[in-house]
Amino acid sequence: MQVLYFAWVRERIGVPREDVETSAETVADLVNELRGREERYDLAFSDMSAIRVALDQELSDLHTSLAGVREVAFFPPMTGG
Amino acid sequence: MQVLYFAWVRERIGVPREDVETSAETVADLVNELRGREERYDLAFSDMSAIRVALDQELSDLHTSLAGVREVAFFPPMTGG
Amino acid sequence: MSISVQVDDFDVGAEINALSDGRTDIGAVVTFTGLVRDMAGGEKIADMELEHYPGMTEKALANIEAEANARWDLQASRIIHRYGTLAAGAQIVMVATASPHRADAFEAAEFIMDFLKSRAPFWKKEGTADSGKWVDARDADEDALNRWS
Amino acid sequence: MSISVQVDDFDVGAEINALSDGRTDIGAVVTFTGLVRDMAGGEKIADMELEHYPGMTEKALANIEAEANARWDLQASRIIHRYGTLAAGAQIVMVATASPHRADAFEAAEFIMDFLKSRAPFWKKEGTADSGKWVDARDADEDALNRWS
């Protein structure tokens, strides 16, 4: 599964995207799995209220299933316009 | 006193402006005086709900005094923009 | 703040540039451009005759612009209103507002347009194939003013 | 309906002309242009870095534009959003809407801007003299969305 990071989430994790082997069932499971791997993930995801998630380029949330999803993106609240 | 007419008020009265000798005290008095003079005024002012008035280029109303006023204008509701 | 009442056409892009060129403090520019539509009430419109009240028009536009600048945080504003004979598709009016904040720029431009519609001394006569017809004031335009009071 | 996500600058006047040239049925064109401000929270801003999510950005902009066209009576619309490094004073975004009616053109442009502010995947990093700071999302921008629901 492709996992993408943007803005300060990208900066904290240190890469813009990576291929992640996981059997996580939901976004929240994936986050917990990553936080257990290395400190940089733990730091990036320490306050999930400041994190937004998109599944296959559609805004979603932590409780959504990852079944069939190819691309997960984590980023701060958007500041366009 | 200079009296100006615009849009269909001007068309009905037949002139864009004229000098009017009057001792009318209010706008309503002036309108009544003009209506008594000729039919074209009577026609133009037959429905005063469709007429707006400006005194010295400021929007005003029928009950306002003409004391000190140099320019009176009659016109339909404005359609700018 | 600047207003023009003129026969000549105008260039919205050039007006935006004149407001914002060389400045780095503006966050938002809103423009409104009004055009002559080719249809009105199911009738084909060839052109529009715009009559105005020279002298009063300039005062009314300057007052509307000053009022907008008093109500909202504007860094610049511009009003241009044409008169004379305008063909279908021609530009009639433009309003531009610049502000640090988008809401101020939007609201001020809407406010100015609402006032121009029924408080600036212009009168429109639509030219159809065989005659001309004075445009009636719309209740909706009068109602639009009430939201600002 | 047309959207662009690009590094290059744009010309608002040319975009307005592209919407309206050769047409005689448009009554109102509204444009919004967003610019990089040189100050934020009392600090001097030299430039702004705009990051986005290629692919998702284009989808989000197309969805916002389609929703605006579904809600209001629009004859044409255009969204351009830049990314990359933009100097203070530079143009960031423009929205243009054309409609027979001024209220539709104004509301649709405001709606699109409100959505771009907090639903399009862009992130701004302000460059100050010695560092960079990610711009926080504003509660006011989130609140602005609620009026359309």
Side-chain angles (χ1 to χ4, degrees), chain C residues 46-111:
Chain C
D47 57 26
M48 182 172 272
E49 191 79 38
L50 257 155
E51 181 172 338
H52 80 116
Y53 184 172
M56 181 171 169
T57 307
E58 289 79 358
K59 281 186 206 176
L61 267 52
N63 285 343
I64 290 166
E65 192 181 42
E67 176 73 16
N69 278 269
R71 287 191 182 211
W72 287 280
D73 182 9
L74 300 185
Q75 296 166 310
S77 57
R78 181 86 174 103
I79 303 175
I80 305 176
H81 206 306
R82 296 176 72 189
Y83 63 94
T85 305
L86 304 177
Q91 301 186 124
I92 305 170
V93 60
M94 77 148 263
V95 170
T97 52
S99 171
H101 316 292
R102 76 182 186 285
D104 287 66
F106 268 122
E107 286 180 24
E110 286 181 81
F111 170 85

Side-chain angles (χ1 to χ4, degrees), chain B:
Chain B
M1 177 180 293
Q2 280 288 307
V3 183
L4 283 68
Y5 311 106
F6 292 96
W8 56 255
V9 180
R10 171 180 55 72
E11 289 179 340
R12 287 186 194 176
I13 290 174
V15 293
R17 65 161 63 211
E18 60 188 333
D19 200 50
V20 173
E21 292 291 325
T22 179
S23 54
E25 287 183 9
T26 67
V27 177
D29 292 342
L30 175 63
V31 168
N32 285 334
E33 194 181 303
L34 291 169
R35 293 186 70 173
R37 287 191 185 180
E38 287 182 52
E39 199 181 342
R40 58 194 171 106
Y41 294 102
D42 194 39
L43 180 70
F45 294 129
S46 61
D47 175 11
M48 287 305 291
S49 74
I51 301 283
R52 300 290 177 269
V53 61
L55 301 183
D56 288 332
Q57 306 189 351
E58 294 281 349
L59 278 178
S60 190
D61 63 61
L62 287 178
H63 310 296
T64 305
S65 163
L66 291 175
V69 169
R70 287 161 305 171
E71 187 172 296
V72 180
F74 294 103
F75 43 78
M78 293 159 275
T79 54

Side-chain angles (χ1 to χ4, degrees), chain A residues 5-12 74-76, chain D residues 51 123-124 134:
Chain A
Y5 311 105
F6 292 96
W8 57 255
V9 180
R10 171 180 55 71
E11 289 179 340
R12 288 187 193 175
F74 294 103
F75 43 77
Chain D
E51 182 172 338
W123 300 275
K124 289 177 180 151
W134 290 101

